[in-house]
Amino acid sequence: MKTFHSDQLSVAFLPPATPFFPVEGRKYTVTHDDENGEIYLSIGYIYDRVKINSKLRDEVIAEWIPRLGEYTLWGQVYVSGGEFDEKYSQVRFLVFQREIETALRAMVKGDQTFYSYFPWLLDAPIYIQFESVYPQFQKIIFCGTPRQYIKLTKENEIQSAAE
């Protein structure tokens, strides 16, 4: 995914989802094209399985879920189910760790209208679960809040405009 550039982001809403509905169960699918640098974000009640490459499995998915009276953006990345050896799984794990910020920036930027309707979600925690058959790559990491990704994107846009 490389660096996030909002002009390379394509957003699709999967009906009946809209820029302001639903909250609970709102799902994101982030994929990308290595050749042209385009990032694709689908927002809906379901994950966009059509966009997921079943051989590469390099998507990032996430969903708004209620936990203990608050909403959490809970994401997942697929490292290995056994089809990749341990070394290749380690490479995938490291790449996902490096690129997760780009995927989260795309999710937040692509759904910015949603946050104008639900500004209290700007400070909700984001967790990403790394799924793998290898225990050393099975992790859940805290990735901040949507507000942090909005701030990063704005700073990047200001810096790009100044150059």
Side-chain angles (χ1 to χ4, degrees), residues 26-58:
R26 187 179 195 81
K27 292 177 173 56
Y28 303 94
T29 308
V30 178
T31 58
H32 68 283
D33 185 329
D34 284 330
E35 291 180 24
N36 64 18
E38 194 80 15
I39 298 174
Y40 305 99
L41 171 65
S42 299
I43 303 168
Y45 282 96
I46 59 170
Y47 295 117
D48 193 348
R49 302 277 179 211
V50 174
K51 296 275 188 186
I52 296 173
N53 182 321
S54 61
K55 291 191 193 290
L56 292 178
R57 292 301 312 268
D58 59 356

Coordinates of all heavy atoms in Angstrom, one line a residue, residues 26-58:
R26 N -21.3 -1.7 11.0 CA -20.7 -1.1 9.9 C -19.4 -1.7 9.6 O -18.5 -1.8 10.4 CB -20.5 0.4 10.1 CG -20.1 1.3 8.9 CD -20.0 2.7 9.3 NE -19.9 3.6 8.2 CZ -21.0 4.0 7.5 NH1 -22.2 3.7 7.8 NH2 -20.8 4.9 6.5
K27 N -19.2 -2.2 8.3 CA -18.0 -3.0 8.0 C -17.2 -2.3 6.9 O -17.8 -1.7 6.0 CB -18.5 -4.4 7.5 CG -19.0 -5.2 8.6 CD -19.5 -6.6 8.1 CE -19.9 -7.5 9.2 NZ -20.9 -7.0 10.1
Y28 N -15.9 -2.4 7.0 CA -15.0 -1.8 6.0 C -14.1 -2.9 5.4 O -13.7 -3.8 6.1 CB -14.0 -0.9 6.7 CG -14.7 0.3 7.4 CD1 -15.0 0.2 8.8 CD2 -15.1 1.4 6.8 CE1 -15.6 1.2 9.5 CE2 -15.7 2.5 7.4 CZ -16.0 2.4 8.8 OH -16.6 3.4 9.4
T29 N -13.9 -2.8 4.1 CA -13.0 -3.7 3.4 C -12.0 -2.8 2.7 O -12.4 -2.0 1.9 CB -13.7 -4.6 2.4 OG1 -14.8 -5.3 3.1 CG2 -12.8 -5.6 1.8
V30 N -10.7 -3.0 3.0 CA -9.7 -2.2 2.4 C -8.8 -3.1 1.6 O -8.2 -4.1 2.1 CB -8.8 -1.4 3.4 CG1 -7.7 -0.6 2.6 CG2 -9.7 -0.5 4.2
T31 N -8.7 -2.8 0.3 CA -7.8 -3.6 -0.6 C -7.0 -2.6 -1.4 O -7.3 -1.4 -1.3 CB -8.6 -4.5 -1.6 OG1 -9.5 -3.7 -2.3 CG2 -9.4 -5.6 -0.8
H32 N -6.1 -3.1 -2.2 CA -5.3 -2.1 -3.0 C -4.7 -2.8 -4.3 O -4.8 -4.0 -4.4 CB -4.1 -1.6 -2.1 CG -3.1 -2.7 -1.8 ND1 -3.3 -3.6 -0.9 CD2 -1.9 -3.0 -2.4 CE1 -2.3 -4.5 -0.8 NE2 -1.4 -4.1 -1.7
D33 N -4.3 -1.9 -5.2 CA -3.7 -2.4 -6.4 C -2.2 -2.0 -6.4 O -1.9 -0.8 -6.4 CB -4.4 -1.8 -7.6 CG -3.9 -2.3 -8.9 OD1 -2.7 -2.6 -9.1 OD2 -4.7 -2.3 -9.9
D34 N -1.3 -2.9 -6.3 CA 0.1 -2.6 -6.2 C 0.7 -1.9 -7.5 O 1.6 -1.1 -7.4 CB 1.0 -3.9 -6.0 CG 0.9 -4.4 -4.6 OD1 0.7 -3.6 -3.7 OD2 1.0 -5.7 -4.4
E35 N 0.0 -2.2 -8.6 CA 0.5 -1.6 -9.9 C 0.3 -0.1 -10.0 O 1.1 0.7 -10.4 CB -0.1 -2.3 -11.1 CG 0.4 -3.7 -11.2 CD -0.2 -4.4 -12.4 OE1 -0.7 -3.8 -13.3 OE2 -0.3 -5.7 -12.3
N36 N -0.9 0.4 -9.6 CA -1.2 1.8 -9.7 C -1.3 2.5 -8.4 O -1.5 3.7 -8.4 CB -2.5 2.0 -10.5 CG -3.8 1.4 -9.8 OD1 -3.8 1.2 -8.6 ND2 -4.8 1.2 -10.6
G37 N -1.2 1.8 -7.3 CA -1.2 2.5 -6.0 C -2.6 2.8 -5.5 O -2.7 3.4 -4.4
E38 N -3.6 2.5 -6.2 CA -5.0 2.8 -5.8 C -5.4 2.0 -4.6 O -5.0 0.8 -4.5 CB -5.9 2.4 -7.0 CG -7.3 3.0 -6.9 CD -7.4 4.4 -7.3 OE1 -6.5 5.0 -7.9 OE2 -8.5 5.0 -6.9
I39 N -6.1 2.6 -3.7 CA -6.6 1.9 -2.5 C -8.1 1.9 -2.6 O -8.7 3.0 -3.0 CB -6.2 2.7 -1.2 CG1 -4.7 2.6 -1.1 CG2 -6.8 2.0 0.0 CD1 -4.1 3.4 0.1
Y40 N -8.7 0.8 -2.4 CA -10.2 0.6 -2.5 C -10.8 0.4 -1.1 O -10.4 -0.5 -0.4 CB -10.5 -0.5 -3.4 CG -9.9 -0.4 -4.8 CD1 -8.7 -1.1 -5.1 CD2 -10.4 0.4 -5.7 CE1 -8.1 -1.0 -6.3 CE2 -9.8 0.6 -7.0 CZ -8.6 -0.1 -7.2 OH -8.0 0.0 -8.5
L41 N -11.8 1.2 -0.8 CA -12.5 1.0 0.5 C -14.0 0.8 0.1 O -14.6 1.5 -0.6 CB -12.4 2.3 1.3 CG -13.3 2.4 2.5 CD1 -12.9 1.4 3.6 CD2 -13.2 3.8 3.1
S42 N -14.5 -0.3 0.7 CA -15.9 -0.6 0.6 C -16.5 -0.5 2.0 O -15.9 -1.0 3.0 CB -16.1 -2.1 0.1 OG -15.6 -2.2 -1.2
I43 N -17.7 0.1 2.1 CA -18.4 0.3 3.4 C -19.8 -0.3 3.3 O -20.5 0.0 2.3 CB -18.5 1.8 3.7 CG1 -17.1 2.4 3.8 CG2 -19.2 2.0 5.1 CD1 -17.0 3.9 3.8
G44 N -20.1 -1.2 4.2 CA -21.4 -1.8 4.1 C -21.8 -2.6 5.4 O -21.1 -2.5 6.4
Y45 N -22.9 -3.4 5.2 CA -23.3 -4.3 6.3 C -22.5 -5.6 6.2 O -22.5 -6.4 7.1 CB -24.8 -4.6 6.1 CG -25.8 -3.6 6.5 CD1 -26.3 -2.7 5.6 CD2 -26.2 -3.5 7.8 CE1 -27.2 -1.7 6.0 CE2 -27.1 -2.6 8.3 CZ -27.6 -1.7 7.3 OH -28.5 -0.8 7.8
I46 N -21.9 -5.8 5.1 CA -21.1 -7.0 4.8 C -19.7 -6.6 4.3 O -19.5 -5.5 3.9 CB -21.8 -8.0 3.8 CG1 -21.9 -7.2 2.5 CG2 -23.1 -8.5 4.3 CD1 -22.4 -8.1 1.3
Y47 N -18.8 -7.5 4.4 CA -17.5 -7.3 3.8 C -17.6 -7.5 2.3 O -18.4 -8.3 1.9 CB -16.4 -8.2 4.4 CG -16.2 -8.0 5.9 CD1 -16.4 -9.0 6.8 CD2 -15.7 -6.8 6.3 CE1 -16.2 -8.7 8.2 CE2 -15.5 -6.5 7.7 CZ -15.7 -7.5 8.6 OH -15.5 -7.2 9.9
D48 N -16.8 -6.8 1.6 CA -16.9 -6.8 0.1 C -16.0 -8.0 -0.4 O -14.8 -7.8 -0.7 CB -16.4 -5.5 -0.5 CG -16.7 -5.4 -1.9 OD1 -17.1 -6.4 -2.6 OD2 -16.6 -4.3 -2.5
R49 N -16.5 -9.2 -0.3 CA -15.8 -10.4 -0.7 C -15.3 -10.4 -2.2 O -14.3 -11.0 -2.5 CB -16.6 -11.6 -0.5 CG -17.1 -11.8 1.0 CD -16.0 -12.4 1.8 NE -16.5 -12.5 3.2 CZ -15.8 -12.5 4.2 NH1 -14.5 -12.3 4.1 NH2 -16.3 -12.6 5.5
V50 N -16.0 -9.6 -3.0 CA -15.6 -9.5 -4.4 C -14.3 -8.9 -4.6 O -13.5 -9.2 -5.4 CB -16.7 -8.7 -5.2 CG1 -16.3 -8.5 -6.6 CG2 -18.0 -9.5 -5.2
K51 N -14.0 -7.9 -3.7 CA -12.7 -7.2 -3.8 C -11.5 -8.0 -3.2 O -10.4 -7.6 -3.4 CB -12.8 -5.9 -3.0 CG -13.8 -4.9 -3.6 CD -13.1 -4.1 -4.7 CE -14.1 -3.0 -5.1 NZ -13.8 -2.3 -6.2
I52 N -11.8 -9.0 -2.4 CA -10.8 -9.8 -1.7 C -10.2 -10.8 -2.6 O -10.9 -11.6 -3.2 CB -11.3 -10.4 -0.4 CG1 -11.8 -9.4 0.6 CG2 -10.3 -11.4 0.2 CD1 -12.5 -9.9 1.8
N53 N -8.8 -10.7 -2.8 CA -8.1 -11.7 -3.6 C -7.8 -12.9 -2.7 O -7.1 -12.9 -1.8 CB -6.8 -11.1 -4.1 CG -6.0 -12.0 -5.0 OD1 -6.0 -13.2 -4.8 ND2 -5.4 -11.4 -6.0
S54 N -8.5 -14.0 -3.1 CA -8.4 -15.2 -2.2 C -7.1 -15.9 -2.2 O -6.7 -16.7 -1.3 CB -9.5 -16.3 -2.7 OG -9.2 -16.7 -4.0
K55 N -6.2 -15.6 -3.1 CA -4.8 -16.1 -3.1 C -3.9 -15.2 -2.3 O -3.0 -15.7 -1.6 CB -4.3 -16.3 -4.5 CG -5.0 -17.4 -5.3 CD -4.3 -17.7 -6.6 CE -5.1 -18.5 -7.5 NZ -5.4 -19.8 -7.3
L56 N -4.0 -13.9 -2.5 CA -3.1 -13.0 -1.8 C -3.5 -12.7 -0.3 O -2.7 -12.6 0.5 CB -3.0 -11.6 -2.5 CG -2.3 -11.6 -3.9 CD1 -2.4 -10.2 -4.4 CD2 -0.9 -12.1 -3.8
R57 N -4.8 -12.6 -0.1 CA -5.3 -12.3 1.2 C -4.6 -11.2 1.9 O -4.1 -11.3 3.0 CB -5.3 -13.6 2.1 CG -6.2 -14.7 1.7 CD -7.7 -14.3 1.7 NE -8.2 -13.6 2.9 CZ -8.7 -14.2 3.9 NH1 -8.8 -15.5 4.0 NH2 -9.1 -13.4 4.9
D58 N -4.5 -10.0 1.2 CA -3.8 -8.9 1.7 C -4.8 -7.7 2.1 O -4.4 -6.6 2.2 CB -2.7 -8.4 0.8 CG -3.3 -8.0 -0.6 OD1 -4.5 -8.2 -0.8 OD2 -2.5 -7.5 -1.4

